[in-house]
Amino acid sequence: MITIDIEKKMHLVATEFCSENDTMKNMLGNVQPQDVYAALIATNQYGENYLSRKNK
């Protein structure tokens, strides 16, 4: 489960990834911070699910 603090940090990371100073602008399409955030959330959920099954 993601805490509010981690969620805020993920939003900051997603925004930073899409800044003009990052290479994300080289990706095909128009990648937006909400796209990166959604990918981070999905990856986190996948990892948590994997770990919960592995630790049983």
Side-chain angles (χ1 to χ4, degrees):
M1 181 179 211
I2 297 176
T3 64
I4 292 174
D5 188 45
I6 298 289
E7 187 176 339
K8 287 180 183 179
K9 288 178 182 179
M10 284 184 172
H11 276 289
L12 290 173
V13 166
T15 301
E16 197 60 35
F17 277 172
C18 293
S19 74
E20 285 297 316
N21 299 325
D22 197 82
T23 59
M24 188 67 77
K25 63 181 177 265
N26 297 330
M27 295 290 292
L28 293 176
N30 186 14
V31 179
Q32 296 294 310
Q34 60 267 24
D35 301 322
V36 176
Y37 177 75
L40 290 170
I41 293 297
T43 302
N44 183 69
Q45 288 173 342
Y46 179 81
E48 285 182 0
N49 186 16
Y50 173 78
L51 290 175
S52 70
R53 286 184 288 133
K54 181 182 174 187
N55 293 330
K56 285 187 176 182

mmCIF file of all heavy atoms in Angstrom:
data_model
loop_
_atom_site.group_PDB
_atom_site.id
_atom_site.type_symbol
_atom_site.label_atom_id
_atom_site.label_comp_id
_atom_site.label_asym_id
_atom_site.label_seq_id
_atom_site.Cartn_x
_atom_site.Cartn_y
_atom_site.Cartn_z
ATOM 1 N N MET A 1 0.844 -1.184 0.000
ATOM 2 C CA MET A 1 0.000 0.000 0.000
ATOM 3 C C MET A 1 0.890 1.248 0.000
ATOM 4 O O MET A 1 1.864 1.326 0.732
ATOM 5 C CB MET A 1 -0.908 -0.027 1.216
ATOM 6 C CG MET A 1 -1.829 1.123 1.295
ATOM 7 S SD MET A 1 -2.852 0.945 2.769
ATOM 8 C CE MET A 1 -4.294 1.726 2.201
ATOM 9 N N ILE A 2 0.541 2.209 -0.801
ATOM 10 C CA ILE A 2 1.337 3.425 -0.930
ATOM 11 C C ILE A 2 0.860 4.461 0.085
ATOM 12 O O ILE A 2 -0.338 4.730 0.190
ATOM 13 C CB ILE A 2 1.216 3.996 -2.361
ATOM 14 C CG1 ILE A 2 1.779 2.998 -3.357
ATOM 15 C CG2 ILE A 2 1.929 5.324 -2.470
ATOM 16 C CD1 ILE A 2 1.615 3.414 -4.788
ATOM 17 N N THR A 3 1.803 5.045 0.803
ATOM 18 C CA THR A 3 1.447 6.097 1.755
ATOM 19 C C THR A 3 1.293 7.419 1.007
ATOM 20 O O THR A 3 1.749 7.563 -0.130
ATOM 21 C CB THR A 3 2.523 6.251 2.844
ATOM 22 O OG1 THR A 3 3.733 6.687 2.228
ATOM 23 C CG2 THR A 3 2.755 4.943 3.582
ATOM 24 N N ILE A 4 0.674 8.387 1.649
ATOM 25 C CA ILE A 4 0.470 9.697 1.031
ATOM 26 C C ILE A 4 1.805 10.349 0.711
ATOM 27 O O ILE A 4 1.963 10.966 -0.343
ATOM 28 C CB ILE A 4 -0.394 10.598 1.937
ATOM 29 C CG1 ILE A 4 -1.818 10.034 2.001
ATOM 30 C CG2 ILE A 4 -0.418 12.034 1.440
ATOM 31 C CD1 ILE A 4 -2.733 10.728 2.962
ATOM 32 N N ASP A 5 2.791 10.186 1.588
ATOM 33 C CA ASP A 5 4.111 10.772 1.359
ATOM 34 C C ASP A 5 4.755 10.193 0.103
ATOM 35 O O ASP A 5 5.293 10.927 -0.724
ATOM 36 C CB ASP A 5 5.007 10.534 2.572
ATOM 37 C CG ASP A 5 6.323 11.281 2.471
ATOM 38 O OD1 ASP A 5 6.303 12.472 2.102
ATOM 39 O OD2 ASP A 5 7.364 10.666 2.756
ATOM 40 N N ILE A 6 4.669 8.877 -0.064
ATOM 41 C CA ILE A 6 5.230 8.234 -1.253
ATOM 42 C C ILE A 6 4.471 8.676 -2.493
ATOM 43 O O ILE A 6 5.049 8.916 -3.546
ATOM 44 C CB ILE A 6 5.180 6.688 -1.112
ATOM 45 C CG1 ILE A 6 6.010 6.227 0.076
ATOM 46 C CG2 ILE A 6 5.606 6.009 -2.390
ATOM 47 C CD1 ILE A 6 7.495 6.347 -0.102
ATOM 48 N N GLU A 7 3.152 8.805 -2.384
ATOM 49 C CA GLU A 7 2.330 9.238 -3.507
ATOM 50 C C GLU A 7 2.747 10.638 -3.973
ATOM 51 O O GLU A 7 2.879 10.882 -5.166
ATOM 52 C CB GLU A 7 0.859 9.224 -3.111
ATOM 53 C CG GLU A 7 -0.070 9.496 -4.262
ATOM 54 C CD GLU A 7 -1.523 9.378 -3.863
ATOM 55 O OE1 GLU A 7 -1.831 8.719 -2.861
ATOM 56 O OE2 GLU A 7 -2.358 9.945 -4.581
ATOM 57 N N LYS A 8 2.977 11.530 -3.030
ATOM 58 C CA LYS A 8 3.421 12.888 -3.375
ATOM 59 C C LYS A 8 4.778 12.843 -4.059
ATOM 60 O O LYS A 8 5.015 13.558 -5.045
ATOM 61 C CB LYS A 8 3.500 13.764 -2.123
ATOM 62 C CG LYS A 8 2.174 14.172 -1.568
ATOM 63 C CD LYS A 8 2.328 15.027 -0.328
ATOM 64 C CE LYS A 8 1.000 15.377 0.277
ATOM 65 N NZ LYS A 8 1.138 16.186 1.491
ATOM 66 N N LYS A 9 5.668 12.002 -3.552
ATOM 67 C CA LYS A 9 6.995 11.882 -4.166
ATOM 68 C C LYS A 9 6.895 11.329 -5.581
ATOM 69 O O LYS A 9 7.620 11.762 -6.476
ATOM 70 C CB LYS A 9 7.904 11.016 -3.305
ATOM 71 C CG LYS A 9 8.334 11.706 -2.031
ATOM 72 C CD LYS A 9 9.200 10.827 -1.170
ATOM 73 C CE LYS A 9 9.556 11.551 0.121
ATOM 74 N NZ LYS A 9 10.367 10.742 1.010
ATOM 75 N N MET A 10 5.987 10.367 -5.793
ATOM 76 C CA MET A 10 5.807 9.817 -7.134
ATOM 77 C C MET A 10 5.297 10.887 -8.096
ATOM 78 O O MET A 10 5.697 10.929 -9.259
ATOM 79 C CB MET A 10 4.850 8.625 -7.107
ATOM 80 C CG MET A 10 5.481 7.371 -6.571
ATOM 81 S SD MET A 10 4.294 6.027 -6.710
ATOM 82 C CE MET A 10 5.304 4.647 -6.260
ATOM 83 N N HIS A 11 4.412 11.759 -7.622
ATOM 84 C CA HIS A 11 3.934 12.863 -8.461
ATOM 85 C C HIS A 11 5.090 13.798 -8.815
ATOM 86 O O HIS A 11 5.205 14.242 -9.968
ATOM 87 C CB HIS A 11 2.829 13.648 -7.760
ATOM 88 C CG HIS A 11 1.471 13.064 -7.910
ATOM 89 N ND1 HIS A 11 0.775 13.081 -9.095
ATOM 90 C CD2 HIS A 11 0.668 12.431 -7.030
ATOM 91 C CE1 HIS A 11 -0.384 12.496 -8.936
ATOM 92 N NE2 HIS A 11 -0.482 12.079 -7.682
ATOM 93 N N LEU A 12 5.947 14.090 -7.850
ATOM 94 C CA LEU A 12 7.098 14.950 -8.112
ATOM 95 C C LEU A 12 8.051 14.313 -9.113
ATOM 96 O O LEU A 12 8.550 14.978 -10.032
ATOM 97 C CB LEU A 12 7.836 15.270 -6.809
ATOM 98 C CG LEU A 12 7.125 16.191 -5.835
ATOM 99 C CD1 LEU A 12 7.900 16.272 -4.519
ATOM 100 C CD2 LEU A 12 6.952 17.565 -6.431
ATOM 101 N N VAL A 13 8.303 13.027 -8.949
ATOM 102 C CA VAL A 13 9.189 12.306 -9.866
ATOM 103 C C VAL A 13 8.603 12.309 -11.273
ATOM 104 O O VAL A 13 9.308 12.583 -12.250
ATOM 105 C CB VAL A 13 9.421 10.861 -9.371
ATOM 106 C CG1 VAL A 13 10.050 10.003 -10.450
ATOM 107 C CG2 VAL A 13 10.285 10.862 -8.126
ATOM 108 N N ALA A 14 7.315 12.034 -11.385
ATOM 109 C CA ALA A 14 6.663 12.016 -12.696
ATOM 110 C C ALA A 14 6.752 13.368 -13.376
ATOM 111 O O ALA A 14 7.031 13.453 -14.576
ATOM 112 C CB ALA A 14 5.202 11.584 -12.545
ATOM 113 N N THR A 15 6.560 14.431 -12.617
ATOM 114 C CA THR A 15 6.659 15.777 -13.170
ATOM 115 C C THR A 15 8.087 16.078 -13.612
ATOM 116 O O THR A 15 8.311 16.631 -14.691
ATOM 117 C CB THR A 15 6.199 16.816 -12.126
ATOM 118 O OG1 THR A 15 4.854 16.518 -11.763
ATOM 119 C CG2 THR A 15 6.287 18.224 -12.663
ATOM 120 N N GLU A 16 9.042 15.682 -12.810
ATOM 121 C CA GLU A 16 10.450 15.916 -13.143
ATOM 122 C C GLU A 16 10.865 15.131 -14.388
ATOM 123 O O GLU A 16 11.621 15.626 -15.220
ATOM 124 C CB GLU A 16 11.335 15.548 -11.953
ATOM 125 C CG GLU A 16 12.729 16.090 -12.008
ATOM 126 C CD GLU A 16 12.800 17.609 -12.057
ATOM 127 O OE1 GLU A 16 11.968 18.281 -11.435
ATOM 128 O OE2 GLU A 16 13.714 18.122 -12.745
ATOM 129 N N PHE A 17 10.370 13.905 -14.521
ATOM 130 C CA PHE A 17 10.686 13.092 -15.698
ATOM 131 C C PHE A 17 10.219 13.754 -16.985
ATOM 132 O O PHE A 17 10.789 13.513 -18.050
ATOM 133 C CB PHE A 17 10.048 11.710 -15.597
ATOM 134 C CG PHE A 17 10.815 10.713 -14.791
ATOM 135 C CD1 PHE A 17 10.253 9.494 -14.500
ATOM 136 C CD2 PHE A 17 12.084 10.973 -14.327
ATOM 137 C CE1 PHE A 17 10.947 8.548 -13.759
ATOM 138 C CE2 PHE A 17 12.790 10.049 -13.576
ATOM 139 C CZ PHE A 17 12.215 8.832 -13.296
ATOM 140 N N CYS A 18 9.173 14.554 -16.898
ATOM 141 C CA CYS A 18 8.608 15.181 -18.098
ATOM 142 C C CYS A 18 9.094 16.614 -18.288
ATOM 143 O O CYS A 18 8.601 17.326 -19.161
ATOM 144 C CB CYS A 18 7.089 15.150 -18.028
ATOM 145 S SG CYS A 18 6.432 13.473 -18.117
ATOM 146 N N SER A 19 10.064 17.039 -17.506
ATOM 147 C CA SER A 19 10.574 18.400 -17.643
ATOM 148 C C SER A 19 11.419 18.539 -18.906
ATOM 149 O O SER A 19 11.834 17.551 -19.514
ATOM 150 C CB SER A 19 11.409 18.787 -16.416
ATOM 151 O OG SER A 19 12.660 18.126 -16.450
ATOM 152 N N GLU A 20 11.658 19.745 -19.300
ATOM 153 C CA GLU A 20 12.475 20.020 -20.491
ATOM 154 C C GLU A 20 13.914 19.534 -20.329
ATOM 155 O O GLU A 20 14.605 19.300 -21.308
ATOM 156 C CB GLU A 20 12.470 21.519 -20.803
ATOM 157 C CG GLU A 20 11.173 21.991 -21.418
ATOM 158 C CD GLU A 20 10.906 21.344 -22.772
ATOM 159 O OE1 GLU A 20 11.839 21.251 -23.596
ATOM 160 O OE2 GLU A 20 9.757 20.922 -22.997
ATOM 161 N N ASN A 21 14.375 19.377 -19.104
ATOM 162 C CA ASN A 21 15.755 18.967 -18.841
ATOM 163 C C ASN A 21 15.940 17.452 -18.861
ATOM 164 O O ASN A 21 17.048 16.968 -18.660
ATOM 165 C CB ASN A 21 16.216 19.507 -17.488
ATOM 166 C CG ASN A 21 16.195 21.007 -17.451
ATOM 167 O OD1 ASN A 21 16.461 21.668 -18.446
ATOM 168 N ND2 ASN A 21 15.855 21.569 -16.319
ATOM 169 N N ASP A 22 14.867 16.700 -19.082
ATOM 170 C CA ASP A 22 14.955 15.248 -19.061
ATOM 171 C C ASP A 22 14.817 14.701 -20.479
ATOM 172 O O ASP A 22 14.346 15.385 -21.379
ATOM 173 C CB ASP A 22 13.872 14.668 -18.154
ATOM 174 C CG ASP A 22 14.165 13.233 -17.768
ATOM 175 O OD1 ASP A 22 14.952 13.048 -16.819
ATOM 176 O OD2 ASP A 22 13.657 12.325 -18.428
ATOM 177 N N THR A 23 15.234 13.462 -20.662
ATOM 178 C CA THR A 23 15.176 12.846 -21.984
ATOM 179 C C THR A 23 13.805 12.277 -22.332
ATOM 180 O O THR A 23 13.613 11.785 -23.440
ATOM 181 C CB THR A 23 16.223 11.720 -22.101
ATOM 182 O OG1 THR A 23 15.964 10.748 -21.087
ATOM 183 C CG2 THR A 23 17.631 12.273 -21.959
ATOM 184 N N MET A 24 12.855 12.347 -21.413
ATOM 185 C CA MET A 24 11.516 11.831 -21.681
ATOM 186 C C MET A 24 10.907 12.516 -22.898
ATOM 187 O O MET A 24 10.106 11.928 -23.619
ATOM 188 C CB MET A 24 10.614 12.024 -20.463
ATOM 189 C CG MET A 24 9.263 11.355 -20.586
ATOM 190 S SD MET A 24 9.335 9.564 -20.607
ATOM 191 C CE MET A 24 9.601 9.232 -18.889
ATOM 192 N N LYS A 25 11.318 13.731 -23.167
ATOM 193 C CA LYS A 25 10.783 14.451 -24.324
ATOM 194 C C LYS A 25 11.162 13.763 -25.640
ATOM 195 O O LYS A 25 10.571 14.031 -26.675
ATOM 196 C CB LYS A 25 11.268 15.902 -24.322
ATOM 197 C CG LYS A 25 12.769 16.055 -24.451
ATOM 198 C CD LYS A 25 13.184 17.524 -24.411
ATOM 199 C CE LYS A 25 14.674 17.643 -24.462
ATOM 200 N NZ LYS A 25 15.312 17.749 -23.183
ATOM 201 N N ASN A 26 12.128 12.837 -25.596
ATOM 202 C CA ASN A 26 12.533 12.101 -26.791
ATOM 203 C C ASN A 26 11.626 10.913 -27.083
ATOM 204 O O ASN A 26 11.766 10.272 -28.128
ATOM 205 C CB ASN A 26 13.976 11.612 -26.658
ATOM 206 C CG ASN A 26 14.952 12.763 -26.554
ATOM 207 O OD1 ASN A 26 14.724 13.833 -27.096
ATOM 208 N ND2 ASN A 26 16.024 12.561 -25.824
ATOM 209 N N MET A 27 10.725 10.596 -26.162
ATOM 210 C CA MET A 27 9.811 9.473 -26.350
ATOM 211 C C MET A 27 8.801 9.808 -27.442
ATOM 212 O O MET A 27 8.457 10.971 -27.653
ATOM 213 C CB MET A 27 9.056 9.164 -25.054
ATOM 214 C CG MET A 27 9.914 8.688 -23.922
ATOM 215 S SD MET A 27 10.571 7.044 -24.169
ATOM 216 C CE MET A 27 9.087 6.080 -24.073
ATOM 217 N N LEU A 28 8.352 8.760 -28.137
ATOM 218 C CA LEU A 28 7.304 8.961 -29.129
ATOM 219 C C LEU A 28 6.017 9.355 -28.430
ATOM 220 O O LEU A 28 5.726 8.886 -27.335
ATOM 221 C CB LEU A 28 7.084 7.688 -29.935
ATOM 222 C CG LEU A 28 8.230 7.265 -30.841
ATOM 223 C CD1 LEU A 28 7.908 5.929 -31.501
ATOM 224 C CD2 LEU A 28 8.491 8.314 -31.900
ATOM 225 N N GLY A 29 5.259 10.193 -29.047
ATOM 226 C CA GLY A 29 4.010 10.639 -28.449
ATOM 227 C C GLY A 29 4.259 11.796 -27.502
ATOM 228 O O GLY A 29 5.342 12.371 -27.439
ATOM 229 N N ASN A 30 3.255 12.125 -26.776
ATOM 230 C CA ASN A 30 3.312 13.259 -25.859
ATOM 231 C C ASN A 30 3.163 12.742 -24.432
ATOM 232 O O ASN A 30 2.065 12.753 -23.874
ATOM 233 C CB ASN A 30 2.202 14.249 -26.218
ATOM 234 C CG ASN A 30 2.286 15.514 -25.419
ATOM 235 O OD1 ASN A 30 3.293 15.794 -24.781
ATOM 236 N ND2 ASN A 30 1.229 16.301 -25.435
ATOM 237 N N VAL A 31 4.256 12.260 -23.858
ATOM 238 C CA VAL A 31 4.217 11.673 -22.512
ATOM 239 C C VAL A 31 4.005 12.791 -21.488
ATOM 240 O O VAL A 31 4.733 13.771 -21.461
ATOM 241 C CB VAL A 31 5.523 10.909 -22.203
ATOM 242 C CG1 VAL A 31 5.471 10.324 -20.802
ATOM 243 C CG2 VAL A 31 5.775 9.831 -23.238
ATOM 244 N N GLN A 32 2.985 12.604 -20.678
ATOM 245 C CA GLN A 32 2.618 13.586 -19.665
ATOM 246 C C GLN A 32 2.919 13.039 -18.277
ATOM 247 O O GLN A 32 3.011 11.816 -18.091
ATOM 248 C CB GLN A 32 1.119 13.908 -19.773
ATOM 249 C CG GLN A 32 0.735 14.560 -21.081
ATOM 250 C CD GLN A 32 1.355 15.930 -21.218
ATOM 251 O OE1 GLN A 32 1.274 16.771 -20.320
ATOM 252 N NE2 GLN A 32 2.000 16.162 -22.351
ATOM 253 N N PRO A 33 3.056 13.925 -17.280
ATOM 254 C CA PRO A 33 3.328 13.454 -15.923
ATOM 255 C C PRO A 33 2.320 12.417 -15.419
ATOM 256 O O PRO A 33 2.700 11.467 -14.745
ATOM 257 C CB PRO A 33 3.272 14.730 -15.082
ATOM 258 C CG PRO A 33 3.671 15.809 -16.028
ATOM 259 C CD PRO A 33 3.087 15.394 -17.352
ATOM 260 N N GLN A 34 1.045 12.567 -15.778
ATOM 261 C CA GLN A 34 0.050 11.596 -15.309
ATOM 262 C C GLN A 34 0.288 10.218 -15.924
ATOM 263 O O GLN A 34 -0.028 9.202 -15.304
ATOM 264 C CB GLN A 34 -1.389 12.079 -15.549
ATOM 265 C CG GLN A 34 -1.755 12.336 -16.978
ATOM 266 C CD GLN A 34 -1.555 13.775 -17.411
ATOM 267 O OE1 GLN A 34 -0.762 14.510 -16.837
ATOM 268 N NE2 GLN A 34 -2.274 14.178 -18.439
ATOM 269 N N ASP A 35 0.873 10.166 -17.130
ATOM 270 C CA ASP A 35 1.214 8.881 -17.743
ATOM 271 C C ASP A 35 2.344 8.198 -16.963
ATOM 272 O O ASP A 35 2.292 6.995 -16.706
ATOM 273 C CB ASP A 35 1.668 9.076 -19.195
ATOM 274 C CG ASP A 35 0.614 9.739 -20.057
ATOM 275 O OD1 ASP A 35 -0.582 9.446 -19.874
ATOM 276 O OD2 ASP A 35 0.995 10.560 -20.919
ATOM 277 N N VAL A 36 3.344 8.978 -16.611
ATOM 278 C CA VAL A 36 4.481 8.444 -15.848
ATOM 279 C C VAL A 36 4.005 8.013 -14.462
ATOM 280 O O VAL A 36 4.375 6.939 -13.976
ATOM 281 C CB VAL A 36 5.617 9.484 -15.748
ATOM 282 C CG1 VAL A 36 6.762 8.967 -14.881
ATOM 283 C CG2 VAL A 36 6.122 9.870 -17.137
ATOM 284 N N TYR A 37 3.168 8.827 -13.843
ATOM 285 C CA TYR A 37 2.637 8.492 -12.520
ATOM 286 C C TYR A 37 1.856 7.177 -12.573
ATOM 287 O O TYR A 37 2.030 6.311 -11.716
ATOM 288 C CB TYR A 37 1.753 9.628 -12.005
ATOM 289 C CG TYR A 37 1.118 9.329 -10.680
ATOM 290 C CD1 TYR A 37 1.857 9.374 -9.504
ATOM 291 C CD2 TYR A 37 -0.222 8.977 -10.597
ATOM 292 C CE1 TYR A 37 1.280 9.081 -8.277
ATOM 293 C CE2 TYR A 37 -0.805 8.684 -9.378
ATOM 294 C CZ TYR A 37 -0.055 8.739 -8.226
ATOM 295 O OH TYR A 37 -0.624 8.443 -7.023
ATOM 296 N N ALA A 38 1.017 7.026 -13.579
ATOM 297 C CA ALA A 38 0.242 5.784 -13.717
ATOM 298 C C ALA A 38 1.161 4.581 -13.886
ATOM 299 O O ALA A 38 0.904 3.512 -13.327
ATOM 300 C CB ALA A 38 -0.718 5.895 -14.898
ATOM 301 N N ALA A 39 2.237 4.749 -14.632
ATOM 302 C CA ALA A 39 3.199 3.656 -14.814
ATOM 303 C C ALA A 39 3.900 3.325 -13.496
ATOM 304 O O ALA A 39 4.125 2.148 -13.184
ATOM 305 C CB ALA A 39 4.221 4.029 -15.880
ATOM 306 N N LEU A 40 4.238 4.332 -12.716
ATOM 307 C CA LEU A 40 4.875 4.100 -11.416
ATOM 308 C C LEU A 40 3.930 3.349 -10.477
ATOM 309 O O LEU A 40 4.346 2.409 -9.790
ATOM 310 C CB LEU A 40 5.293 5.429 -10.778
ATOM 311 C CG LEU A 40 6.453 6.169 -11.418
ATOM 312 C CD1 LEU A 40 6.594 7.568 -10.823
ATOM 313 C CD2 LEU A 40 7.746 5.391 -11.258
ATOM 314 N N ILE A 41 2.666 3.745 -10.453
ATOM 315 C CA ILE A 41 1.679 3.093 -9.593
ATOM 316 C C ILE A 41 1.498 1.636 -10.016
ATOM 317 O O ILE A 41 1.478 0.723 -9.177
ATOM 318 C CB ILE A 41 0.330 3.843 -9.632
ATOM 319 C CG1 ILE A 41 0.471 5.223 -8.998
ATOM 320 C CG2 ILE A 41 -0.774 3.036 -8.949
ATOM 321 C CD1 ILE A 41 0.845 5.214 -7.530
ATOM 322 N N ALA A 42 1.357 1.406 -11.319
ATOM 323 C CA ALA A 42 1.165 0.040 -11.818
ATOM 324 C C ALA A 42 2.370 -0.833 -11.491
ATOM 325 O O ALA A 42 2.212 -1.994 -11.079
ATOM 326 C CB ALA A 42 0.919 0.062 -13.322
ATOM 327 N N THR A 43 3.568 -0.293 -11.660
ATOM 328 C CA THR A 43 4.776 -1.050 -11.358
ATOM 329 C C THR A 43 4.856 -1.370 -9.876
ATOM 330 O O THR A 43 5.218 -2.489 -9.491
ATOM 331 C CB THR A 43 6.023 -0.265 -11.800
ATOM 332 O OG1 THR A 43 5.912 0.010 -13.207
ATOM 333 C CG2 THR A 43 7.298 -1.020 -11.523
ATOM 334 N N ASN A 44 4.496 -0.422 -9.035
ATOM 335 C CA ASN A 44 4.497 -0.648 -7.597
ATOM 336 C C ASN A 44 3.495 -1.743 -7.218
ATOM 337 O O ASN A 44 3.808 -2.626 -6.420
ATOM 338 C CB ASN A 44 4.172 0.647 -6.852
ATOM 339 C CG ASN A 44 4.246 0.464 -5.362
ATOM 340 O OD1 ASN A 44 5.312 0.271 -4.799
ATOM 341 N ND2 ASN A 44 3.092 0.493 -4.714
ATOM 342 N N GLN A 45 2.316 -1.698 -7.787
ATOM 343 C CA GLN A 45 1.301 -2.714 -7.491
ATOM 344 C C GLN A 45 1.771 -4.095 -7.943
ATOM 345 O O GLN A 45 1.575 -5.082 -7.232
ATOM 346 C CB GLN A 45 -0.022 -2.357 -8.168
ATOM 347 C CG GLN A 45 -0.712 -1.180 -7.523
ATOM 348 C CD GLN A 45 -1.935 -0.724 -8.288
ATOM 349 O OE1 GLN A 45 -2.112 -1.045 -9.455
ATOM 350 N NE2 GLN A 45 -2.773 0.057 -7.631
ATOM 351 N N TYR A 46 2.393 -4.154 -9.100
ATOM 352 C CA TYR A 46 2.922 -5.421 -9.598
ATOM 353 C C TYR A 46 3.966 -5.969 -8.622
ATOM 354 O O TYR A 46 3.953 -7.142 -8.269
ATOM 355 C CB TYR A 46 3.537 -5.229 -10.983
ATOM 356 C CG TYR A 46 4.135 -6.486 -11.550
ATOM 357 C CD1 TYR A 46 3.352 -7.449 -12.166
ATOM 358 C CD2 TYR A 46 5.513 -6.721 -11.460
ATOM 359 C CE1 TYR A 46 3.903 -8.615 -12.679
ATOM 360 C CE2 TYR A 46 6.075 -7.885 -11.964
ATOM 361 C CZ TYR A 46 5.271 -8.822 -12.570
ATOM 362 O OH TYR A 46 5.815 -9.970 -13.068
ATOM 363 N N GLY A 47 4.871 -5.100 -8.189
ATOM 364 C CA GLY A 47 5.918 -5.518 -7.258
ATOM 365 C C GLY A 47 5.363 -5.983 -5.927
ATOM 366 O O GLY A 47 5.801 -7.000 -5.368
ATOM 367 N N GLU A 48 4.395 -5.252 -5.385
ATOM 368 C CA GLU A 48 3.783 -5.645 -4.117
ATOM 369 C C GLU A 48 3.075 -6.990 -4.251
ATOM 370 O O GLU A 48 3.166 -7.834 -3.355
ATOM 371 C CB GLU A 48 2.798 -4.572 -3.643
ATOM 372 C CG GLU A 48 3.476 -3.339 -3.087
ATOM 373 C CD GLU A 48 2.490 -2.305 -2.580
ATOM 374 O OE1 GLU A 48 1.260 -2.532 -2.655
ATOM 375 O OE2 GLU A 48 2.945 -1.260 -2.100
ATOM 376 N N ASN A 49 2.380 -7.189 -5.355
ATOM 377 C CA ASN A 49 1.692 -8.448 -5.596
ATOM 378 C C ASN A 49 2.698 -9.600 -5.683
ATOM 379 O O ASN A 49 2.505 -10.661 -5.084
ATOM 380 C CB ASN A 49 0.852 -8.354 -6.874
ATOM 381 C CG ASN A 49 0.007 -9.575 -7.100
ATOM 382 O OD1 ASN A 49 -0.206 -10.381 -6.214
ATOM 383 N ND2 ASN A 49 -0.493 -9.717 -8.318
ATOM 384 N N TYR A 50 3.764 -9.388 -6.411
ATOM 385 C CA TYR A 50 4.803 -10.403 -6.557
ATOM 386 C C TYR A 50 5.406 -10.770 -5.198
ATOM 387 O O TYR A 50 5.530 -11.935 -4.853
ATOM 388 C CB TYR A 50 5.894 -9.917 -7.495
ATOM 389 C CG TYR A 50 7.085 -10.853 -7.550
ATOM 390 C CD1 TYR A 50 7.046 -12.021 -8.288
ATOM 391 C CD2 TYR A 50 8.237 -10.563 -6.819
ATOM 392 C CE1 TYR A 50 8.132 -12.891 -8.315
ATOM 393 C CE2 TYR A 50 9.318 -11.419 -6.838
ATOM 394 C CZ TYR A 50 9.267 -12.580 -7.589
ATOM 395 O OH TYR A 50 10.332 -13.437 -7.614
ATOM 396 N N LEU A 51 5.748 -9.763 -4.418
ATOM 397 C CA LEU A 51 6.354 -10.015 -3.111
ATOM 398 C C LEU A 51 5.394 -10.723 -2.147
ATOM 399 O O LEU A 51 5.820 -11.594 -1.391
ATOM 400 C CB LEU A 51 6.858 -8.710 -2.494
ATOM 401 C CG LEU A 51 8.070 -8.093 -3.160
ATOM 402 C CD1 LEU A 51 8.392 -6.746 -2.531
ATOM 403 C CD2 LEU A 51 9.267 -9.012 -3.097
ATOM 404 N N SER A 52 4.110 -10.364 -2.214
ATOM 405 C CA SER A 52 3.161 -11.025 -1.318
ATOM 406 C C SER A 52 2.998 -12.501 -1.677
ATOM 407 O O SER A 52 2.841 -13.341 -0.795
ATOM 408 C CB SER A 52 1.812 -10.310 -1.339
ATOM 409 O OG SER A 52 1.148 -10.505 -2.563
ATOM 410 N N ARG A 53 3.041 -12.831 -2.968
ATOM 411 C CA ARG A 53 2.946 -14.235 -3.378
ATOM 412 C C ARG A 53 4.234 -14.986 -3.071
ATOM 413 O O ARG A 53 4.214 -16.138 -2.671
ATOM 414 C CB ARG A 53 2.638 -14.342 -4.870
ATOM 415 C CG ARG A 53 1.188 -13.978 -5.189
ATOM 416 C CD ARG A 53 0.855 -14.175 -6.646
ATOM 417 N NE ARG A 53 1.529 -13.127 -7.406
ATOM 418 C CZ ARG A 53 2.233 -13.347 -8.522
ATOM 419 N NH1 ARG A 53 2.373 -14.551 -8.994
ATOM 420 N NH2 ARG A 53 2.794 -12.351 -9.162
ATOM 421 N N LYS A 54 5.363 -14.327 -3.239
ATOM 422 C CA LYS A 54 6.664 -14.950 -3.010
ATOM 423 C C LYS A 54 6.865 -15.273 -1.531
ATOM 424 O O LYS A 54 7.468 -16.285 -1.180
ATOM 425 C CB LYS A 54 7.771 -14.026 -3.495
ATOM 426 C CG LYS A 54 9.156 -14.586 -3.332
ATOM 427 C CD LYS A 54 10.191 -13.583 -3.792
ATOM 428 C CE LYS A 54 11.565 -14.122 -3.483
ATOM 429 N NZ LYS A 54 12.612 -13.160 -3.736
ATOM 430 N N ASN A 55 6.365 -14.414 -0.654
ATOM 431 C CA ASN A 55 6.581 -14.568 0.785
ATOM 432 C C ASN A 55 5.570 -15.486 1.469
ATOM 433 O O ASN A 55 5.587 -15.603 2.681
ATOM 434 C CB ASN A 55 6.588 -13.194 1.456
ATOM 435 C CG ASN A 55 7.774 -12.369 1.025
ATOM 436 O OD1 ASN A 55 8.830 -12.910 0.717
ATOM 437 N ND2 ASN A 55 7.598 -11.065 0.959
ATOM 438 N N LYS A 56 4.709 -16.130 0.709
ATOM 439 C CA LYS A 56 3.729 -17.049 1.322
ATOM 440 C C LYS A 56 4.318 -18.405 1.529
ATOM 441 O O LYS A 56 5.165 -18.894 0.931
ATOM 442 C CB LYS A 56 2.488 -17.157 0.453
ATOM 443 C CG LYS A 56 1.624 -15.924 0.583
ATOM 444 C CD LYS A 56 0.329 -16.121 -0.153
ATOM 445 C CE LYS A 56 -0.546 -14.902 0.076
ATOM 446 N NZ LYS A 56 -1.825 -15.035 -0.556
#
